[in-house]
Each structure stands twice: as C-alpha cells, then as structure tokens.
Amino acid sequence: MHRPTNIALARNEKEEEIPAFKNPEWQANTFAAELLAPPHIIKGLSAAEVALTCGVSKDVASIQLKNL
C-alpha cells in the first residue's frame, strides 16, 4: 500500500490558513471525538465533564459538543 513517494503534508512556507479538513491535527481530534465521545453519552454535559467522562482532551470535547 505504501509507495516510496513524497507525502504531501498540510504545511506551507507562508503564513496562509490551512483549511480544517486538510489539517491533520483537526482530523485526529474530530476522529477521536466521534470515537471516544459519542453524542448519546455526552448530550447535556459541559466540555470539562465530557473530558473527564470520556477520557478525552478539552479540545476534543469542545469539537464534539460543537458538532451536536
């Protein structure tokens, strides 16, 4: 599956904004939010409560709550 080619990363030399869907950190946080903090468990909780209950970071908790 892996070929010896260059891997395109979501980085640039300039200070341009990278779209969220190309940002690997955003992708990882969004995936973690969906996997570790499902909506039926976190509904009605604060970001801090979601982080403690599900064992995720506050960033992940905030992402998931924002997407409810």
Side-chain angles (χ1 to χ4, degrees), residues 1-5 7:
M1 295 179 83
H2 300 284
R3 295 185 179 105
T5 58
I7 298 172

Side-chain angles (χ1 to χ4, degrees), residues 31-57:
F31 176 77
E34 288 295 319
L35 180 67
L36 301 173
H40 69 279
I41 292 175
I42 66 167
K43 195 173 250 182
L45 299 178
S46 69
E49 292 170 327
V50 171
L52 286 173
T53 302
C54 298
V56 296
S57 70

Side-chain angles (χ1 to χ4, degrees), residues 4-64:
T5 58
N6 291 338
I7 298 172
L9 301 174
R11 298 183 188 140
N12 57 21
E13 305 302 319
K14 304 171 190 169
E15 293 295 321
E16 297 173 17
E17 183 69 26
I18 298 170
F21 64 90
K22 289 186 177 181
N23 181 334
E25 188 67 22
W26 177 87
Q27 292 175 1
N29 284 341
T30 302
F31 176 77
E34 288 295 319
L35 180 67
L36 301 173
H40 69 279
I41 292 175
I42 66 167
K43 195 173 250 182
L45 299 178
S46 69
E49 292 170 327
V50 171
L52 286 173
T53 302
C54 298
V56 296
S57 70
K58 287 185 182 176
D59 288 340
V60 169
S62 296
I63 289 169
Q64 189 64 337

